[in-house]
Amino acid sequence: MQSQDVAPRPAPPSGAVVDVEQAEAALVEHYPRLVRLAYLMLPAGLGRNRRVLTAHALTQRALPRGRATGDASVIPAQQGGGGRDGDPGYAFVRLQVVRTTLEAGLPLKRRAWPKRSQLPPFLPLVWGLRLFPRSGGADELALEQRLSALSGPARAAYVLRGLEKLADPRLRQVLAAAGVENPAAALEEASGVEARDALLDSPEFDACSLQARPTDLMRRRQHLKAALAATAAVAVCGALLALPGDGWGPDGAAAPSYAQNPAAEAALDPARLARVAPAAWESSARTDFSVWPARGGLVDDTALLRRALAVWARPGESVRVSAAPGTLSGPPPGPPQLLFAGDVDQARVVLLYDGLRIARYAEPKDGTGGAALDFARADGASGAEASAVVLGRTDGNVRYLTAPWVTKAAERDLLKPSAGAMDLTLSADGSTSPLTGATGTGACTSWNVLQVEDASGTRLLSDLGELIPAHLTAGRPAAPREAAGAQNLREWAPFACSLASMRSQGVRTVNAWRYAGQPLPDGSGQATWMCTRADTWRGGGPRVMAQFRTPGGTYGAVVAQAENSPACGPRDPHVLAGVLWKSGAGTWYLLAAGGKGTASVEATGGVRGSAAGPLLTVRTRQGARAELKGTLTDGRDITGLR
């Protein structure tokens, strides 16, 4: 790897004049993006907590002290109408962020005062907490490892090229203006890393959406006591600083032990792990995780199991911890149940279950860095919801561990209902061969799901970025059916890509209900109204989407959505939604539809009209806004979903 230095910036040619107000407006509007840029360009060696705080500090210090003249080669002279790309204020603060971030990554030199950006940030100040972005998958981890191997200028070039979509000539100008001595060499080095632009936008690198964990609580208490007694302070601080060095200790990447008590010690003892007999599920009336046997080639690796339990109880600072919304990440209340321990691709993986949660511990086969701990709620999981757990994700592929009662697994593309399913290999321990992950980004051309079969039928499960895949169903909310039937697959196909909006939301089940068909006023056929409801493991936060599809359309369009709404659910199996639709002749209409049991529909506001029954068609103009109200056959009123 070629070494790159950041040189003092030469005097730039005169460009646009940027005042404080203009720069501040750009910084406030694009603050999350600027912080993401800084976080990605900072060296990984700083640690995630230090990188988060430094990224915010450098971004906040990007404002000029007064009116400033930007470099004409990188600062546009005037607003070009192209959003941030033509905004001189944004270009100015972005350049400041790039310059100070490159300085922050420089090593400290002897006999030279460090620059402000090289010092730990004074502001923002966080006391008693460690902050870090949400953990991603194996793809994000691999990209961060590749970026950490680049020089600072090359890392900046890769990030600016991927996130800001800067062409190489403009990118060279920005790097030169930021003080890079050899921009061409930086671009050449950055080109050696595969372009993964979509990953740069992932939550893994969002330094504004953060998770918080306490610092070492016992250590803080000891420090406070030590402050009252100077003699004791020396002894306590010395003991606290004498932590183990490189390599795995008995507890791996776990933090120092907080307390010694019998219950805590029992939960950390591999010998006390609950292990279910391989054939217990065959005679049990239960079909949940409690009857899963312990499987995998490393179930007797006591050292691995000890590390997994210790990290669960007290994850160290280097451990990547993620939890589905509404899922606690604290230690188990007692010895958990072992579900799996074995090699999965390039990692050693342990799956544990404490009756309420699934915990997945993963560590690399080679080296001691990059341990990860993921949590998902599993309380009340049974049948389809306890049929599979994600073992690992690598290069966009997903590998599952299936329930012992699953007899067959296959991969199915929801967008192609007539294409059939492609069989997956089930190993002796119940793990599947890799399944191509669902994309749903950019042009959604496929959405692959896991199809499992057992004695009770065939089910579809969709990976939504968490440990337990979401169970897909179809039909009326009071009596949903499995989505694997031929008719249900055809109904799901145009709306499958909407699952992308439900990623990382703790989704338990997703039901698609075709609640109405509406003849189009120009006689071109019948439109389909679909209500998609995603219920969560935590109970709250369900997401409801009303979707509209015209005859022959490839995809449905989301026309209304709501959170924490009972609509389309078993408690309130009703929905009302509308859309402005343009006919082939150029005439605009308001189309609205309610489900069965809707006695009348009325539109007010910018569009006025009413109709008996669940359907309403009113001629209107482009851009008109309407309020919808419906009356059910039992006399109850409902409002339009929005």
Coordinates of all heavy atoms in Angstrom, one line a residue, residues 150-184:
L150 N -6.6 0.9 3.9 CA -6.2 1.9 3.0 C -5.5 3.1 3.8 O -5.7 3.3 5.0 CB -7.4 2.5 2.3 CG -8.1 1.5 1.3 CD1 -9.4 2.2 0.8 CD2 -7.2 1.0 0.2
S151 N -4.7 3.9 3.1 CA -4.2 5.1 3.6 C -5.4 6.1 3.8 O -6.4 5.9 3.2 CB -3.1 5.7 2.7 OG -3.7 6.1 1.5
G152 N -5.1 7.2 4.6 CA -6.2 8.2 4.8 C -6.7 8.8 3.5 O -7.9 8.8 3.3
P153 N -5.8 9.3 2.6 CA -6.3 9.9 1.4 C -7.0 8.9 0.5 O -8.0 9.2 -0.1 CB -5.0 10.4 0.7 CG -4.1 10.6 1.8 CD -4.4 9.6 2.9
A154 N -6.6 7.6 0.4 CA -7.3 6.6 -0.4 C -8.6 6.3 0.2 O -9.6 6.1 -0.5 CB -6.4 5.3 -0.5
R155 N -8.7 6.2 1.5 CA -10.0 6.0 2.1 C -11.0 7.1 1.8 O -12.1 6.9 1.5 CB -9.8 5.8 3.7 CG -11.1 5.3 4.4 CD -10.7 4.8 5.8 NE -9.9 5.7 6.5 CZ -8.7 5.5 6.9 NH1 -8.1 4.4 6.6 NH2 -8.0 6.4 7.6
A156 N -10.5 8.4 1.9 CA -11.3 9.5 1.5 C -11.7 9.5 0.1 O -12.9 9.8 -0.2 CB -10.5 10.8 1.8
A157 N -10.8 9.1 -0.8 CA -11.2 9.0 -2.2 C -12.3 7.9 -2.4 O -13.3 8.1 -3.2 CB -9.9 8.6 -3.0
Y158 N -12.2 6.8 -1.7 CA -13.2 5.7 -1.9 C -14.5 6.2 -1.4 O -15.6 6.0 -2.1 CB -12.7 4.5 -1.1 CG -13.6 3.3 -1.3 CD1 -13.4 2.3 -2.3 CD2 -14.7 3.1 -0.4 CE1 -14.3 1.2 -2.4 CE2 -15.6 2.0 -0.6 CZ -15.3 1.1 -1.6 OH -16.2 0.0 -1.7
V159 N -14.6 6.9 -0.3 CA -15.8 7.3 0.3 C -16.5 8.4 -0.5 O -17.7 8.4 -0.8 CB -15.6 7.8 1.8 CG1 -16.9 8.4 2.3 CG2 -15.1 6.6 2.6
L160 N -15.7 9.4 -0.9 CA -16.2 10.5 -1.8 C -16.7 9.9 -3.1 O -17.7 10.4 -3.6 CB -15.2 11.5 -2.0 CG -14.8 12.4 -0.7 CD1 -13.6 13.2 -1.0 CD2 -16.0 13.2 -0.3
R161 N -16.0 9.0 -3.7 CA -16.4 8.4 -4.9 C -17.7 7.6 -4.8 O -18.6 7.7 -5.6 CB -15.3 7.5 -5.5 CG -15.7 6.9 -6.8 CD -14.6 5.8 -7.2 NE -13.4 6.5 -7.7 CZ -12.2 5.8 -7.8 NH1 -12.1 4.6 -7.3 NH2 -11.1 6.5 -8.3
G162 N -17.9 6.9 -3.7 CA -19.0 6.0 -3.5 C -20.2 6.8 -3.0 O -21.4 6.6 -3.5
L163 N -20.1 7.7 -2.0 CA -21.2 8.4 -1.4 C -21.6 9.6 -2.2 O -22.8 9.9 -2.4 CB -20.9 8.8 0.0 CG -21.3 7.8 1.1 CD1 -20.9 8.4 2.5 CD2 -22.7 7.4 1.1
E164 N -20.6 10.4 -2.6 CA -20.9 11.7 -3.2 C -20.9 11.6 -4.7 O -21.3 12.5 -5.4 CB -19.8 12.7 -2.8 CG -19.7 13.0 -1.4 CD -21.0 13.8 -0.9 OE1 -21.0 15.0 -1.1 OE2 -21.9 13.1 -0.4
K165 N -20.6 10.4 -5.3 CA -20.6 10.1 -6.7 C -19.8 11.2 -7.5 O -20.2 11.6 -8.6 CB -22.1 10.2 -7.2 CG -23.0 9.3 -6.5 CD -22.6 7.9 -6.5 CE -23.7 7.0 -5.7 NZ -23.2 5.6 -5.6
L166 N -18.6 11.5 -6.9 CA -17.7 12.5 -7.6 C -17.0 11.8 -8.7 O -16.4 10.7 -8.5 CB -16.8 13.1 -6.6 CG -17.4 14.0 -5.5 CD1 -16.3 14.6 -4.6 CD2 -18.2 15.1 -6.1
A167 N -16.9 12.3 -9.9 CA -16.1 11.8 -11.0 C -14.6 12.0 -10.6 O -14.3 12.9 -9.8 CB -16.4 12.5 -12.3
D168 N -13.7 11.2 -11.2 CA -12.3 11.2 -10.8 C -11.7 12.6 -11.0 O -10.9 13.1 -10.1 CB -11.5 10.2 -11.6 CG -11.8 8.8 -11.0 OD1 -12.6 8.7 -10.0 OD2 -11.2 7.8 -11.5
P169 N -11.9 13.3 -12.1 CA -11.3 14.7 -12.2 C -11.7 15.6 -11.1 O -10.9 16.3 -10.5 CB -11.8 15.2 -13.6 CG -12.1 14.0 -14.3 CD -12.7 13.0 -13.4
R170 N -13.0 15.6 -10.7 CA -13.4 16.5 -9.6 C -12.9 16.0 -8.3 O -12.6 16.7 -7.4 CB -14.9 16.6 -9.6 CG -15.5 17.4 -8.5 CD -16.8 18.1 -8.9 NE -17.4 18.9 -7.8 CZ -17.2 20.1 -7.6 NH1 -16.3 20.8 -8.4 NH2 -17.8 20.8 -6.6
L171 N -12.8 14.6 -8.2 CA -12.4 14.0 -6.9 C -10.9 14.4 -6.7 O -10.5 14.7 -5.6 CB -12.5 12.5 -7.0 CG -12.2 11.7 -5.8 CD1 -12.8 12.3 -4.5 CD2 -12.6 10.3 -6.0
R172 N -10.1 14.4 -7.8 CA -8.7 14.9 -7.6 C -8.6 16.3 -7.1 O -7.8 16.7 -6.3 CB -8.0 14.7 -8.9 CG -7.5 13.2 -9.2 CD -6.5 13.2 -10.4 NE -7.2 13.4 -11.6 CZ -7.8 12.4 -12.4 NH1 -7.7 11.2 -12.0 NH2 -8.4 12.7 -13.5
Q173 N -9.5 17.2 -7.7 CA -9.5 18.6 -7.2 C -9.9 18.7 -5.8 O -9.2 19.5 -5.0 CB -10.5 19.3 -8.1 CG -10.1 19.5 -9.6 CD -11.3 20.1 -10.4 OE1 -12.4 20.2 -9.9 NE2 -10.9 20.5 -11.6
V174 N -10.9 17.9 -5.3 CA -11.2 18.0 -3.9 C -10.1 17.5 -3.0 O -9.8 18.1 -2.0 CB -12.5 17.2 -3.6 CG1 -12.8 17.1 -2.2 CG2 -13.7 17.8 -4.4
L175 N -9.5 16.4 -3.4 CA -8.3 15.9 -2.5 C -7.2 16.9 -2.5 O -6.6 17.1 -1.5 CB -7.9 14.5 -3.1 CG -8.9 13.4 -2.9 CD1 -8.4 12.1 -3.6 CD2 -9.2 13.1 -1.5
A176 N -6.9 17.5 -3.7 CA -5.8 18.5 -3.7 C -6.1 19.7 -2.8 O -5.3 20.2 -2.1 CB -5.5 18.9 -5.1
A177 N -7.4 20.1 -2.9 CA -7.8 21.3 -2.1 C -7.8 20.9 -0.6 O -7.6 21.8 0.3 CB -9.2 21.7 -2.5
A178 N -7.9 19.6 -0.2 CA -7.9 19.2 1.1 C -6.5 19.0 1.6 O -6.3 18.6 2.8 CB -8.7 17.9 1.3
G179 N -5.5 19.1 0.8 CA -4.1 19.0 1.2 C -3.4 17.7 0.8 O -2.3 17.5 1.4
V180 N -4.0 16.9 0.0 CA -3.4 15.6 -0.3 C -2.3 15.9 -1.4 O -2.5 16.5 -2.4 CB -4.4 14.6 -0.9 CG1 -3.8 13.3 -1.4 CG2 -5.5 14.3 0.2
E181 N -1.1 15.4 -1.1 CA 0.1 15.6 -2.0 C -0.1 15.0 -3.3 O 0.3 15.5 -4.4 CB 1.4 15.2 -1.3 CG 1.8 16.1 -0.2 CD 3.1 15.7 0.4 OE1 3.6 14.6 0.1 OE2 3.8 16.6 1.0
N182 N -0.6 13.7 -3.3 CA -0.6 12.9 -4.6 C -2.0 12.4 -4.8 O -2.3 11.2 -4.4 CB 0.4 11.8 -4.5 CG 0.6 11.2 -5.9 OD1 -0.2 11.3 -6.8 ND2 1.7 10.5 -6.1
P183 N -3.0 13.2 -5.2 CA -4.4 12.7 -5.4 C -4.5 11.5 -6.3 O -5.3 10.6 -6.1 CB -5.1 13.9 -5.9 CG -4.3 15.1 -5.5 CD -2.9 14.6 -5.5
A184 N -3.7 11.5 -7.4 CA -3.8 10.4 -8.4 C -3.4 9.1 -7.7 O -4.0 8.0 -8.0 CB -2.8 10.7 -9.5

